[in-house]
Amino acid sequence: DTAVSQTPKYLVTQMGNDKSIKCEQNLGHDTMYWYKQDSKKFLKIMFSYNNKELIINETVPNRFSPKSPDKAHLNLHINSLELGDSAVYFCASSQEGTVYNSPLHFGNGTRLTVT
Amino acid sequence: QQQVKQSPQSLIVQKGGISIINCAYENTAFDYFPWYQQFPGKGPALLIAIRPDVSEKKEGRFTISFNKSAKQFSLHIMDSQPGDSATYFCAASMDSNYQLIWGAGTKLIIKP
């Protein structure tokens, strides 16, 4: 069983479009995240949701909006896509509590290409 | 002060050799130092982690060495195998604030 699953795996779209990426975790974790990995492999946290409440919102453009219908799902909506949004987006989850016992579990990523 | 500096950016090691990746940090409040391994097309996965109350942690062929006074920690992969070829990330955090501060990653290639 896939612990953290993302769809779609690949997303190719044109500038100006609006798109969504879906994420689901079946680990029973309390916290979910969105990360952006650029072409140089650098990982940047974008959002974190704990029990359906936003607890981290790093300086990302407000064109990006996370939506969590329940604690097992965290979707990412992107409006007015720009070329610079091209990257791999990872969803992750962890259990609330001490960080020592709760590693991040990542999905396999969504490669977004904006043309 | 929040940065974690990782080196080298890329590394090529012969099969059977020792791979060494280094990380340095500034914030002395960090108390959790994990290493994540990422294969192409996959998300990062926790490989091994250490807390500053020990100087070394070993799991199979993977060892973290931690130098608290120098504010450095490193990953050693003994008897490196082609299957170890991946990108490795070090990170750091404070338990009171879960947010992980990530290194820039090291692309490791093990030549057969």
Side-chain angles (χ1 to χ4, degrees):
Chain A
D1 283 343
T2 303
V4 181
S5 58
Q6 299 178 226
T7 54
K9 186 171 178 64
Y10 300 97
L11 184 54
V12 181
T13 188
Q14 291 184 329
M15 285 175 55
N17 285 348
D18 303 337
K19 290 293 179 184
S20 295
I21 306 172
K22 294 185 177 182
C23 178
E24 176 182 5
Q25 56 93 5
N26 63 6
L27 296 166
H29 286 168
D30 296 295
T31 306
M32 295 183 71
Y33 311 80
W34 278 107
Y35 276 84
K36 179 181 180 180
Q37 186 171 50
D38 61 24
S39 58
K40 295 185 177 180
K41 298 289 190 181
F42 188 76
L43 280 165
K44 176 184 176 183
I45 189 167
M46 300 177 71
F47 299 103
S48 171
Y49 255 76
N50 177 273
N51 288 326
K52 298 176 64 176
E53 291 187 19
L54 183 67
I55 58 174
I56 298 175
N57 182 354
E58 297 299 308
T59 54
V60 299
N62 58 15
R63 298 182 294 104
F64 291 80
S65 58
K67 288 186 170 52
S68 180
D70 55 62
K71 79 171 192 177
H73 296 83
L74 182 64
N75 303 323
L76 183 64
H77 299 270
I78 316 170
N79 296 324
S80 303
L81 277 154
E82 300 178 356
L83 292 175
D85 298 332
S86 295
V88 180
Y89 292 84
F90 286 99
C91 178
S93 71
S94 68
Q95 183 67 7
E96 188 177 25
T98 174
V99 67
Y100 312 126
N101 298 323
S102 183
L104 291 176
H105 293 257
F106 284 85
N108 286 331
T110 295
R111 181 174 294 277
L112 171 65
T113 303
V114 182
T115 61
Chain B
Q1 245 208 346
Q2 286 290 87
Q3 281 187 323
V4 175
K5 295 183 180 179
Q6 182 172 347
S7 61
Q9 188 175 9
S10 62
L11 180 62
I12 300 174
V13 175
Q14 290 292 127
K15 179 182 174 182
I18 302 173
S19 304
I20 302 174
I21 304 171
N22 300 300
C23 285
Y25 63 97
E26 290 294 325
N27 190 342
T28 55
F30 287 147
D31 61 0
Y32 174 68
F33 303 91
W35 285 90
Y36 279 74
Q37 179 188 53
Q38 183 181 24
F39 292 108
K42 302 291 185 183
L46 179 67
L47 180 64
I48 187 172
I50 196 169
R51 293 178 60 177
D53 51 348
V54 296
S55 60
E56 185 175 282
K57 183 173 182 180
K58 184 176 180 179
E59 290 184 3
R61 296 182 294 107
F62 300 90
T63 300
I64 300 179
S65 296
F66 185 80
N67 186 328
K68 190 174 183 177
S69 60
K71 293 185 283 186
Q72 295 175 347
F73 58 110
S74 59
L75 176 69
H76 296 241
I77 306 175
M78 311 299 289
D79 187 26
S80 299
Q81 299 297 311
D84 297 330
S85 297
T87 299
Y88 292 82
F89 293 92
C90 64
S93 77
M94 298 171 280
D95 190 33
S96 59
N97 174 357
Y98 194 109
Q99 184 179 358
L100 282 174
I101 308 301
W102 295 83
T106 296
K107 184 174 182 178
L108 174 65
I109 297 173
I110 307 300
K111 284 197 165 183

